[in-house]
C-alpha cells in the first residue's frame, strides 16, 4: 500500500490528556504521516504508509494501556470504582482487549512483498535476532505478514517490540525510496520466461542494487526509480 488513511478518535483521551498536546506529540513522533485538522468530536484524519500507520497505532495502544492500568490502580484503592458508568467500562474493556493483542506473545507486521524481499536481500541485519525472538512469515500475493514472538516464556517482550520497530522503521524508508516494475510473461511460454530471466541475471553486475523476483507469469523488478528506469530500458 503506497498510502492509506485512518480516522483516529482522540476523544477517549480527553479526560487524561490535553488532546491538542497529544496530537503534537504524535506529529513529532510520526513525521512520515500527514495529519488533518482536529474535529470538534475528537476525530482526526491521518494519512501515510501502512507500516507508519501501524506504528502510530502501537504508540496509541501504549498510551491507552497506561490509562487502563491507572484505572485498575484506582479501582483497587476504592470499591466505589466498581460503579463506573457503562461507557467508561466499555472503553476500558475494549482497550484491554486491544492491548492484550498488541502486547501478547506475537507481534505482526504487514509488508509489501517486494519491500520484504528487498529488505531480506539488502538489509538482512533488520531480521537478525537472538535466540529469544522467533520470526516467521506468510506471503499472500503482494502482501507478506511477518510474525514475531518470544522463543520462551521468560523472554523479554520488549525485545520483540524492539525488533518489530526496527523492521517497521526500515520498511517505511524503503516504501518511500523504492519503485516496482513488473515484466509480464505469457503463461505457457517457458522459453520467453527463461530469456527474460537470463537477461535480468546478466544485468546484476551493472545494477547490484536492483532486485528481480521470478514468479510463474511475471518478474518483479525492485529498486530506486532511476536504476529501475535504466534497468528496464536494458531489458
Amino acid at each position: 500500500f503506497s498510502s492509506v488513511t485512518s480516522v483516529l478518535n482522540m476523544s477517549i483521551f480527553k479526560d487524561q490528556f490535553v488532546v491538542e498536546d497529544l496530537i503534537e506529540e504524535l506529529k513529532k513522533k510520526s513525521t512520515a504521516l500527514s495529519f488533518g485538522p482536529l474535529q470538534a468530536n475528537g476525530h482526526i484524519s491521518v494519512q501515510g504508509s501502512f507500516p507508519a500507520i501501524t506504528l502510530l497505532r502501537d504508540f496509541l495502544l501504549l498510551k491507552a494501556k497506561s490509562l487502563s492500568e491507572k484505572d485498575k490502580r484506582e479501582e483497587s484503592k476504592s470499591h466505589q470504582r466498581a460503579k463506573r458508568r457503562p461507557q467508561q467500562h466499555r472503553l476500558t474493556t475494549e482497550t484491554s482487549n486491544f492491548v492484550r493483542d498488541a502486547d501478547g506473545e506475537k507481534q505482526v507486521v504487514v509488508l509489501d512483498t517486494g519491500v520484504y524481499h528487498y529488505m531480506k536481500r539488502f538489509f538482512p541485519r533488520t531480521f537478525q535476532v537472538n535466540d529469544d525472538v522467533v520470526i516467521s512469515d506468510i506471503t499472500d500475493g503482494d502482501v507478506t505478514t511477518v510474525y514475531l514472538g518470544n522463543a520462551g516464556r521468560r523472554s523479554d517482550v520488549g525485545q520483540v517490540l524492539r525488533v518489530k520497530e526496527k523492521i517497521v522503521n526500515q520498511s517505511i524508508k524503503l516504501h518511500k525510496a523504492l519503485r516496482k516494475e513488473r515484466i509480464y510473461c505469457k503463461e505457457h511460454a517457458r522459453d520467453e520466461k527463461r530469456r527474460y530471466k537470463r537477461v535480468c541475471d546478466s544485468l546484476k553486475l551493472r545494477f547490484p542494487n536492483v532486485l528481480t523476483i521470478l514468479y510463474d507469469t511475471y518478474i518483479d523488478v525492485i529498486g530506486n526509480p532511476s536504476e529501475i528506469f535504466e534497468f528496464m530500458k536494458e531489458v
Side-chain angles (χ1 to χ4, degrees):
F1 311 100
S2 59
S3 181
V4 293
T5 301
S6 178
V7 177
L8 306 179
N9 180 8
M10 302 299 291
S11 64
I12 66 170
F13 294 104
K14 66 182 181 181
D15 292 335
Q16 300 290 341
F17 298 103
V18 177
V19 174
E20 289 80 3
D21 292 345
L22 180 56
I23 290 173
E24 287 302 315
E25 183 181 355
L26 298 181
K27 289 180 179 179
K28 290 178 182 177
K29 183 174 181 64
S30 308
T31 55
L33 295 174
S34 174
F35 290 80
L38 179 65
Q39 304 297 321
N41 60 1
H43 290 190
I44 186 170
S45 177
V46 185
Q47 188 175 43
S49 70
F50 188 80
I53 291 284
T54 56
L55 204 59
L56 175 67
R57 179 201 61 183
D58 291 344
F59 176 74
L60 287 172
L61 284 174
L62 290 175
K63 287 284 187 186
K65 182 181 179 183
S66 68
L67 297 184
S68 178
E69 290 176 344
K70 184 177 180 181
D71 285 344
K72 289 177 183 177
R73 287 196 298 269
E74 290 177 356
E75 189 173 2
S76 65
K77 292 177 182 178
S78 172
H79 292 293
Q80 293 179 358
R81 291 288 182 181
K83 297 179 181 180
R84 292 178 176 178
R85 294 195 300 270
Q87 184 179 0
Q88 289 179 321
H89 179 69
R90 275 202 306 274
L91 170 63
T92 304
T93 303
E94 291 168 6
T95 300
S96 297
N97 287 337
F98 278 121
V99 172
R100 200 156 49 241
D101 290 342
D103 289 346
E105 291 185 356
K106 285 211 171 183
Q107 293 287 323
V108 177
V109 183
V110 181
L111 300 171
D112 175 270
T113 297
V115 170
Y116 172 68
H117 285 297
Y118 198 92
M119 287 171 68
K120 289 198 75 173
R121 172 67 177 83
F122 295 104
F123 300 91
R125 293 182 63 181
T126 307
F127 296 96
Q128 283 182 357
V129 295
N130 56 29
D131 295 336
D132 295 330
V133 181
V134 177
I135 296 181
S136 60
D137 62 80
I138 296 177
T139 296
D140 183 9
D142 285 336
V143 175
T144 294
T145 305
V146 179
Y147 297 91
L148 301 97
N150 291 324
R153 291 181 179 179
R154 296 184 179 180
S155 300
D156 181 13
V157 177
Q159 271 190 320
V160 177
L161 291 173
R162 285 191 290 273
V163 174
K164 176 183 178 180
E165 186 169 5
K166 183 170 64 171
I167 293 172
V168 170
N169 286 335
Q170 184 64 64
S171 71
I172 290 172
K173 294 177 184 176
L174 293 177
H175 264 285
K176 291 180 179 180
L178 297 179
R179 295 293 179 271
K180 177 167 64 178
E181 292 284 350
R182 185 162 285 178
I183 303 171
Y184 288 95
C185 310
K186 294 176 183 176
E187 190 170 353
H188 300 294
R190 294 182 180 179
D191 289 342
E192 182 190 32
K193 189 164 67 173
R194 277 198 292 265
R195 284 199 301 273
Y196 271 122
K197 183 181 184 304
R198 200 160 52 240
V199 169
C200 289
D201 289 344
S202 70
L203 293 171
K204 283 183 178 179
L205 289 177
R206 288 177 53 193
F207 299 92
N209 295 319
V210 170
L211 177 67
T212 57
I213 307 173
L214 182 66
Y215 294 98
D216 288 339
T217 57
Y218 60 88
I219 298 172
D220 274 347
V221 182
I222 304 164
N224 70 59
S226 60
E227 285 194 311
I228 288 290
F229 179 74
E230 293 296 329
F231 187 93
M232 292 298 289
K233 275 205 309 182
E234 291 291 334
V235 171

